[in-house]
Amino acid sequence: MTRWMVSPGEIPSAWFNVVPYLPAPPASPLHPATHQPVEPDDLAPLFPAALIEQEMTRAPWIEVPGEVLDILRLWRPTPLVRASRLEQALGTPARIYFKDESGSPAGSHKPNTAVAQAFYNARAGLRRLTTETGAGQWGTALAFACAQFGLECEVYMVRASFEHKPYRRVIMETWGGSVVPSPVDQPDHPGSLGTAISDAVRAALGRGDTHYSLGSVLNHVLLHQTVIGLEAREQLALAGERLPDVVIAPCGGGSNLGGIAFPFVPEAGVRLIAVEPLSCPTLTQGRFDYDFGDSAGLTPLLPMYTLGHDFVPPSIHAGGLRYHGVSPLISSLVRDGRMEAVAYPQGKVFEAAVHFARLEGKVAAPEAAHAIRAVIDEALAAKETGEEKVILFNYCGHGFLDLSAYDDYLHGRLHDEQG
Amino acid sequence: MTRWMVSPGEIPSAWFNVVPYLPAPPASPLHPATHQPVEPDDLAPLFPAALIEQEMTRAPWIEVPGEVLDILRLWRPTPLVRASRLEQALGTPARIYFKDESGSPAGSHKPNTAVAQAFYNARAGLRRLTTETGAGQWGTALAFACAQFGLECEVYMVRASFEHKPYRRVIMETWGGSVVPSPVDQPDHPGSLGTAISDAVRAALGRGDTHYSLGSVLNHVLLHQTVIGLEAREQLALAGERLPDVVIAPCGGGSNLGGIAFPFVPEAGVRLIAVEPLSCPTLTQGRFDYDFGDSAGLTPLLPMYTLGHDFVPPSIHAGGLRYHGVSPLISSLVRDGRMEAVAYPQGKVFEAAVHFARLEGKVAAPEAAHAIRAVIDEALAAKETGEEKVILFNYCGHGFLDLSAYDDYLHGRLHDEQG
């Protein structure tokens, strides 16, 4: 049996826009000061016109520029892999496939949008992008992308990570990015994603040649990630599968979930499942409401599930899933019943990750491990019922820079925050 | 243009044995006590019969067992990638391809032989393998392989690495390996590869259900790595290339070089180049002689280039290239003029690695970076002469666990030992 099923030749030439396929049209974001619907001009100080257009469009397909394809080709199409050894070990009749996004330069799905954002900003004549980063996943991706288009990249990194987890800083610097500990004006403050966003936005607004870049949540970011699901659809067909029965991905801001799931939204029979940490249960325990995207209340108000923009989740290892809100597009799919959500405590998540590593040889990022947990439970449910279910999940990143989390789990130092 | 060229379907079903194609038959190893040629029985306390047979055979092809193929399939065939952006930046007429071995479970080529060794030992009824590891590359690969066949894996890790570079220890433990700091009987001693080999060999000899495993140097180890070159040959043909003009790989013990280069030895027109660090210049400045494989003088005497078994190389970042000797098969090819060797100081090596990372998006292991340095110099030479050379190199591993070396280079703390 062939395990690697790479589509012959090309990656998708257009992104898939889920907006026309939503059960209900999404509500508009509101201006933080006026509480009126945001107009394109309101976003112009931070984003180029092409991205604002993509943020608001209802066209079903958006062409991927050739310059973006040229860079994506460095690692795309990514492999679709059948997890046969996991299937065997579980004794499940389910067929389990994962889309392996861990082979990208940054080791995750994040560069899919970073490259597109850097391209449109460079084409619009910008010289510099700023962004925030927690442990460094997103900053890494943007530093890589900026290097491809000759843009400067300024990353405001939470000071505690900057000082204690230097490795992602080193990767950003290897790609020519400059990394600044945040908050910039309080050298004794450990920092937070909130302070880093404020620093990055301020640094962009102060200069005419500089824009700001975001790695999740917004419509255009999730749009760029749909190459994942589009490739997976084609590769599943090459493997002789019609459609998956279930699509599973972890959900923080929502970009890797949207990336793999959106192209399956029009297929009514395909279940879509978001997996989140029990310690930051935005979709399973949050409320659907307008809320700010940042803790300081500088961004537009977004219609989404939220735990409140002042919610501070415990410092669990899956840093990418520690966000108080979730993409408005994902939120509307969950609210309207087209997508399900489950939450797990991190002990159960790492148990699944170690099982997967021993069987499939891959050490998953803690974010990806959340999906693996839900996949195993779906496959065991299929064993109970005898269903030959096809399960597809997003292996959104490797864990080579998250090994202290495995160390804590293996040596009994990982404590479940709740549940 | 398609950048990913994965051979359709299967990985090689037989390993390629270079011995019948050597310019001169290799001399036999000598028993450390008697200085007489080693007999199969001499090796039986450490290795199973199948591996001893492979160590000594002159058959040109050895079938890969189905059980080994089943595991290799988790990440093989590995992609052959054209480094178009590097070509463009250099302005060279050369076409540069690399075989990407970094996607294996351990992030390097090492599992290719670890899986085979674990299989033959398990089939022979052994319960446990011991080995040594420096920074952890080889120990990681063997821990993964043992997990696949239900063997226990005991890794003796140089104490300084055990204490200061814990991440590879964590991966070994994730796969169920047990990791012991060496020397075992001197808790204040920082350890060395020499002490770790002694500990691992002693731990194997003491127990009838336990064997010892080596990750490079020996004939059977290099044999298992030839899947790399065999796949590359087939993939180059799919890409429309007849044969490479030059094949380049880093050389420590010789296993990744042998793996990619041996299948091209019978093609007289293909140049083969070994790249080593100037601080451990075994092939370029060592002598060809019988020498021990370990510092304590416990192993058979091997006919090879050596800097002397008591040579202690400076602690450069490419830990995999810090070995006083080099595989007898590689040594005989260099001695007889079939293979060339070059040496570089590590500053030039990291300069090339950063250039490659910015263009191709891949952060290389320091070992792989040695090959990249030589590839760039070959491509620049082709630019001078206008030759449309085809260059193939082995991208033998990623650098996600070697980022402190990049940090040192980027911040001016990496000092060239010499040259």
Short mmCIF file of all heavy atoms in Angstrom, two decimals, chain A residues 187-219:
data_model
loop_
_atom_site.label_atom_id
_atom_site.label_comp_id
_atom_site.label_asym_id
_atom_site.label_seq_id
_atom_site.Cartn_x
_atom_site.Cartn_y
_atom_site.Cartn_z
N PRO A 187 10.82 47.07 30.80
CA PRO A 187 11.76 45.94 30.69
C PRO A 187 11.63 44.89 31.80
O PRO A 187 12.19 43.81 31.66
CB PRO A 187 13.14 46.62 30.73
CG PRO A 187 12.91 48.02 31.21
CD PRO A 187 11.50 48.37 30.90
N ASP A 188 10.90 45.19 32.87
CA ASP A 188 10.75 44.18 33.93
C ASP A 188 9.44 43.41 33.82
O ASP A 188 9.17 42.50 34.59
CB ASP A 188 10.82 44.86 35.31
CG ASP A 188 12.19 45.47 35.56
OD1 ASP A 188 13.18 44.89 35.04
OD2 ASP A 188 12.26 46.50 36.23
N HIS A 189 8.59 43.79 32.85
CA HIS A 189 7.27 43.17 32.70
C HIS A 189 7.40 41.91 31.84
O HIS A 189 8.03 41.94 30.79
CB HIS A 189 6.35 44.20 32.02
CG HIS A 189 4.90 43.82 32.03
ND1 HIS A 189 4.41 42.73 31.36
CD2 HIS A 189 3.82 44.40 32.62
CE1 HIS A 189 3.10 42.65 31.53
NE2 HIS A 189 2.72 43.65 32.31
N PRO A 190 6.80 40.77 32.27
CA PRO A 190 6.94 39.52 31.50
C PRO A 190 6.19 39.55 30.17
O PRO A 190 6.46 38.74 29.29
CB PRO A 190 6.34 38.47 32.42
CG PRO A 190 5.40 39.23 33.31
CD PRO A 190 6.00 40.59 33.49
N GLY A 191 5.23 40.48 30.01
CA GLY A 191 4.52 40.60 28.75
C GLY A 191 3.38 39.63 28.61
O GLY A 191 3.22 38.69 29.39
N SER A 192 2.54 39.86 27.58
CA SER A 192 1.41 38.99 27.27
C SER A 192 1.09 39.22 25.80
O SER A 192 1.60 40.16 25.18
CB SER A 192 0.20 39.36 28.13
OG SER A 192 -0.31 40.62 27.70
N LEU A 193 0.22 38.37 25.24
CA LEU A 193 -0.16 38.58 23.86
C LEU A 193 -0.81 39.95 23.70
O LEU A 193 -0.62 40.63 22.69
CB LEU A 193 -1.12 37.45 23.42
CG LEU A 193 -1.02 36.98 21.97
CD1 LEU A 193 0.42 36.75 21.54
CD2 LEU A 193 -1.81 35.71 21.78
N GLY A 194 -1.53 40.37 24.72
CA GLY A 194 -2.17 41.69 24.70
C GLY A 194 -1.17 42.83 24.56
O GLY A 194 -1.33 43.71 23.72
N THR A 195 -0.10 42.80 25.34
CA THR A 195 0.90 43.87 25.24
C THR A 195 1.60 43.81 23.89
O THR A 195 1.93 44.84 23.30
CB THR A 195 1.96 43.77 26.35
OG1 THR A 195 2.81 42.64 26.11
CG2 THR A 195 1.33 43.66 27.72
N ALA A 196 1.83 42.60 23.40
CA ALA A 196 2.57 42.46 22.14
C ALA A 196 1.73 42.98 20.97
O ALA A 196 2.26 43.63 20.06
CB ALA A 196 2.96 41.00 21.92
N ILE A 197 0.43 42.71 20.97
CA ILE A 197 -0.45 43.24 19.93
C ILE A 197 -0.41 44.77 19.96
O ILE A 197 -0.24 45.42 18.93
CB ILE A 197 -1.91 42.74 20.09
CG1 ILE A 197 -2.00 41.23 19.86
CG2 ILE A 197 -2.84 43.48 19.13
CD1 ILE A 197 -3.38 40.64 20.07
N SER A 198 -0.53 45.33 21.15
CA SER A 198 -0.51 46.79 21.26
C SER A 198 0.79 47.35 20.70
O SER A 198 0.80 48.32 19.93
CB SER A 198 -0.66 47.22 22.73
OG SER A 198 -1.83 46.66 23.27
N ASP A 199 1.93 46.76 21.06
CA ASP A 199 3.22 47.23 20.55
C ASP A 199 3.29 47.13 19.03
O ASP A 199 3.77 48.05 18.36
CB ASP A 199 4.37 46.42 21.17
CG ASP A 199 4.70 46.86 22.59
OD1 ASP A 199 4.43 48.03 22.93
OD2 ASP A 199 5.25 46.04 23.36
N ALA A 200 2.81 46.00 18.49
CA ALA A 200 2.92 45.79 17.04
C ALA A 200 2.01 46.76 16.28
O ALA A 200 2.41 47.32 15.25
CB ALA A 200 2.56 44.34 16.69
N VAL A 201 0.79 46.97 16.77
CA VAL A 201 -0.13 47.89 16.10
C VAL A 201 0.41 49.32 16.17
O VAL A 201 0.45 50.04 15.16
CB VAL A 201 -1.54 47.81 16.74
CG1 VAL A 201 -2.42 48.95 16.25
CG2 VAL A 201 -2.19 46.47 16.42
N ARG A 202 0.90 49.71 17.34
CA ARG A 202 1.47 51.06 17.49
C ARG A 202 2.65 51.25 16.53
O ARG A 202 2.79 52.29 15.90
CB ARG A 202 1.94 51.28 18.93
CG ARG A 202 0.98 52.16 19.72
CD ARG A 202 1.54 52.44 21.12
NE ARG A 202 0.65 51.92 22.15
CZ ARG A 202 0.98 50.98 23.02
NH1 ARG A 202 2.19 50.44 23.02
NH2 ARG A 202 0.08 50.58 23.90
N ALA A 203 3.49 50.24 16.39
CA ALA A 203 4.67 50.36 15.53
C ALA A 203 4.27 50.48 14.06
O ALA A 203 4.99 51.08 13.26
CB ALA A 203 5.59 49.15 15.72
N ALA A 204 3.11 49.92 13.70
CA ALA A 204 2.66 50.02 12.30
C ALA A 204 2.00 51.38 12.06
O ALA A 204 2.24 52.02 11.03
CB ALA A 204 1.68 48.90 12.00
N LEU A 205 1.19 51.82 13.00
CA LEU A 205 0.45 53.07 12.80
C LEU A 205 1.39 54.27 12.76
O LEU A 205 1.10 55.26 12.11
CB LEU A 205 -0.58 53.25 13.92
CG LEU A 205 -1.75 52.27 13.88
CD1 LEU A 205 -2.64 52.45 15.11
CD2 LEU A 205 -2.56 52.47 12.60
N GLY A 206 2.51 54.18 13.40
CA GLY A 206 3.42 55.32 13.47
C GLY A 206 4.13 55.63 12.16
O GLY A 206 4.67 56.72 11.99
N ARG A 207 4.15 54.69 11.20
CA ARG A 207 4.99 54.87 10.02
C ARG A 207 4.21 54.59 8.74
O ARG A 207 3.56 53.56 8.63
CB ARG A 207 6.19 53.92 10.09
CG ARG A 207 7.16 54.32 11.20
CD ARG A 207 8.27 53.30 11.35
NE ARG A 207 7.82 52.08 12.05
CZ ARG A 207 8.64 51.10 12.43
NH1 ARG A 207 9.93 51.16 12.16
NH2 ARG A 207 8.17 50.05 13.06
N GLY A 208 4.31 55.45 7.75
CA GLY A 208 3.56 55.29 6.50
C GLY A 208 4.00 54.11 5.66
O GLY A 208 3.24 53.63 4.81
N ASP A 209 5.21 53.64 5.87
CA ASP A 209 5.72 52.53 5.04
C ASP A 209 5.54 51.18 5.73
O ASP A 209 6.14 50.19 5.31
CB ASP A 209 7.20 52.75 4.72
CG ASP A 209 8.06 52.87 5.98
OD1 ASP A 209 7.49 52.84 7.10
OD2 ASP A 209 9.28 53.01 5.83
N THR A 210 4.70 51.14 6.77
CA THR A 210 4.62 49.95 7.61
C THR A 210 3.17 49.53 7.80
O THR A 210 2.31 50.36 8.05
CB THR A 210 5.26 50.24 8.99
OG1 THR A 210 6.58 50.71 8.79
CG2 THR A 210 5.27 49.00 9.87
N HIS A 211 2.92 48.23 7.66
CA HIS A 211 1.61 47.67 7.97
C HIS A 211 1.73 46.64 9.08
O HIS A 211 2.83 46.24 9.47
CB HIS A 211 1.00 47.00 6.73
CG HIS A 211 0.17 47.93 5.89
ND1 HIS A 211 -0.27 47.59 4.63
CD2 HIS A 211 -0.31 49.18 6.13
CE1 HIS A 211 -0.99 48.60 4.13
NE2 HIS A 211 -1.02 49.56 5.01
N TYR A 212 0.55 46.20 9.54
CA TYR A 212 0.45 45.20 10.60
C TYR A 212 -0.09 43.91 9.98
O TYR A 212 -0.81 43.95 8.99
CB TYR A 212 -0.48 45.75 11.68
CG TYR A 212 -0.94 44.75 12.71
CD1 TYR A 212 -0.06 44.30 13.69
CD2 TYR A 212 -2.25 44.28 12.71
CE1 TYR A 212 -0.47 43.39 14.64
CE2 TYR A 212 -2.67 43.37 13.66
CZ TYR A 212 -1.78 42.93 14.63
OH TYR A 212 -2.20 42.02 15.56
N SER A 213 0.25 42.78 10.56
CA SER A 213 -0.16 41.50 10.00
C SER A 213 -0.66 40.58 11.11
O SER A 213 -0.07 40.53 12.19
CB SER A 213 1.04 40.87 9.29
OG SER A 213 0.70 39.60 8.81
N LEU A 214 -1.76 39.87 10.82
CA LEU A 214 -2.37 38.99 11.82
C LEU A 214 -2.36 37.55 11.29
O LEU A 214 -2.55 37.32 10.10
CB LEU A 214 -3.80 39.45 12.08
CG LEU A 214 -4.45 38.99 13.39
CD1 LEU A 214 -3.77 39.64 14.59
CD2 LEU A 214 -5.93 39.35 13.40
N GLY A 215 -2.15 36.58 12.18
CA GLY A 215 -1.95 35.20 11.75
C GLY A 215 -3.16 34.30 11.84
O GLY A 215 -3.09 33.12 11.49
N SER A 216 -4.32 34.82 12.31
CA SER A 216 -5.51 33.97 12.41
C SER A 216 -6.74 34.87 12.47
O SER A 216 -6.67 36.06 12.14
CB SER A 216 -5.42 33.07 13.64
OG SER A 216 -6.43 32.08 13.61
N VAL A 217 -7.87 34.32 12.83
CA VAL A 217 -9.14 35.00 13.15
C VAL A 217 -9.83 35.66 11.95
O VAL A 217 -11.01 35.43 11.71
CB VAL A 217 -8.94 36.04 14.28
CG1 VAL A 217 -10.25 36.74 14.60
CG2 VAL A 217 -8.37 35.39 15.54
N LEU A 218 -9.09 36.50 11.19
CA LEU A 218 -9.75 37.28 10.14
C LEU A 218 -10.09 36.43 8.92
O LEU A 218 -9.46 35.42 8.65
CB LEU A 218 -8.86 38.46 9.75
CG LEU A 218 -8.59 39.46 10.89
CD1 LEU A 218 -7.69 40.59 10.41
CD2 LEU A 218 -9.90 40.01 11.46
N ASN A 219 -11.09 36.89 8.16
CA ASN A 219 -11.58 36.13 7.00
C ASN A 219 -10.48 35.86 5.97
O ASN A 219 -10.37 34.76 5.44
CB ASN A 219 -12.71 36.90 6.29
CG ASN A 219 -13.92 37.11 7.19
OD1 ASN A 219 -13.91 36.72 8.36
ND2 ASN A 219 -14.96 37.73 6.65
#
